[in-house]
Amino acid sequence: MSPAPTSPVLELSKLTHAYGEHPVLNGVELAIGAGEFVALIGPNGSGKTTLLKCLAGILAPQGGSVRIAGTDMAADPLAAKAALGFAVDPVLLPPLLTGRQCLELFAGVRGLPALPESSLALARSLAFDTWLDREVQSYSLGTRQKLGILLGLVGEPPLLVLDEPMNGLDPQSAFALKMHLVGLTRERGTAVLLATHALEVAERFITRATLLIEGRLVREWDTATLDAIRHDPDSSLEQVMVEALAEHGAARET
Ligand SMILES: Nc1ncnc2c1ncn2[C@@H]1O[C@H](COP(=O)(O)OP(=O)(O)OP(=O)(O)O)[C@@H](O)[C@H]1O
């Protein structure tokens, strides 16, 4: 007997958004299941950050729906957000709190009695532990970025959404974060959606890639296709993506 299909952790249906008269998302459809590691790829200005903000409830989409772990974001935003980890923008971190105070606040919001050991372990992997008891205002940009990521991952919710998380991280920390995310998808069935331009990095560990152009998801590469690309010495995700972009550009001109 085949296993019962599990419902997606994230479901976007006909999502639209515009800034004033400028449409940015044009009917985005996406479903991500437990244990999937999906890269959201697209040229500058294609709408990746807007999409992530809409699905995290930071921006209210003008049309369509967002469901997280079966809960509709518009109907019950608190319950939907409880199932979502979204890295906090470094510029929004409170300057006078310490990293530990920020993390404890987030743990409290998530209903946890104390800061979980998983957060402290990740802090050590990211070499953030020495910064835990210092004020955010003394952090470098990369250190702020680490805290934003740690905050998003507090309590290990079933869906993690990250916007260029490796940007600004030193190579050891970027590697530790990647390994941590891969571990979460494989061992806990966490679903990860990662917006990135770093294709050579993403290629090695994602299970699916999807390409956003002008607010539409126009192409997708599944696990089997990604495996074939990885095993072909003459191919790479970067090359395949550049070709897809060129095809789309050609199609737009006709
Ligand atoms: N607050 C805003 N007000 C008006 N326009 C905006 C706003 N934020 C983004 N835009 C516009 O929306 C479009 C999509 O921007 P968005 O930041 O979502 O793209 P992106 O794919 O994340 O880009 P990048 O890869 O450069 O980070 C762009 O044309 C951008 O100029």
Side-chain angles (χ1 to χ4, degrees), residues 7-249:
S7 53
V9 182
L10 172 69
E11 273 178 289
L12 304 179
S13 176
K14 298 180 184 151
L15 207 64
T16 59
H17 191 68
Y19 295 108
E21 298 291 301
H22 175 40
V24 174
L25 301 179
N26 296 300
V28 174
E29 303 271 338
L30 180 67
I32 301 182
E36 281 201 279
F37 199 137
V38 179
L40 174 65
I41 291 160
N44 294 131
S46 55
K48 299 180 297 299
T49 297
T50 304
L51 176 58
L52 299 192
K53 284 184 176 170
C54 283
L55 75 84
I58 296 168
L59 280 176
Q62 282 153 358
S65 65
V66 176
R67 288 180 81 81
I68 300 178
T71 304
D72 185 273
M73 178 67 79
D76 191 347
L78 281 183
K81 287 179 188 177
L84 166 76
F86 190 83
V88 174
D89 188 334
V91 301
L92 300 178
L93 294 168
L96 297 180
L97 294 188
T98 66
R100 190 187 301 277
Q101 287 168 331
C102 295
L103 287 161
E104 284 172 348
L105 263 176
F106 263 60
V109 168
R110 290 207 175 271
L112 302 169
L115 187 56
E117 176 50 35
S118 56
S119 290
L120 294 170
L122 182 58
R124 285 191 292 276
S125 305
L126 297 180
F128 182 81
D129 47 335
T130 52
W131 293 95
L132 271 172
D133 294 305
R134 301 192 214 176
E135 288 177 355
V136 167
Q137 64 182 350
S138 68
Y139 293 1
S140 70
L141 184 58
T143 305
R144 281 172 201 241
Q145 180 132 351
K146 289 177 186 177
L147 178 57
I149 292 165
L150 283 162
L151 290 169
L153 271 65
V154 167
E156 299 182 338
L159 174 67
L160 296 177
V161 173
L162 299 161
D163 195 354
E164 290 285 1
M166 320 306 177
N167 254 4
L169 294 194
D170 58 72
Q172 274 172 303
S173 302
F175 183 72
L177 176 61
K178 273 179 279 174
M179 291 301 103
H180 185 79
L181 295 174
V182 170
L184 287 175
T185 59
R186 293 185 184 159
E187 288 151 30
R188 296 182 57 90
T190 305
V192 178
L193 177 61
L194 173 96
T196 186
H197 292 298
L199 300 184
E200 71 294 349
V201 178
E203 180 177 345
R204 270 178 263 141
F205 56 86
I206 56 175
T207 59
R208 186 152 54 109
T210 183
L211 177 62
L212 186 74
I213 296 183
E214 295 184 343
R216 284 190 185 84
L217 290 173
V218 296
R219 286 280 292 273
E220 198 167 272
W221 291 266
D222 63 12
T223 304
T225 310
L226 290 171
D227 279 344
I229 294 169
R230 288 181 193 114
H231 289 110
D232 179 351
D234 295 325
S235 188
S236 68
L237 183 57
E238 187 178 29
Q239 183 193 342
V240 166
M241 203 66 68
V242 168
E243 284 167 6
L245 285 165
E247 273 170 37
H248 187 82

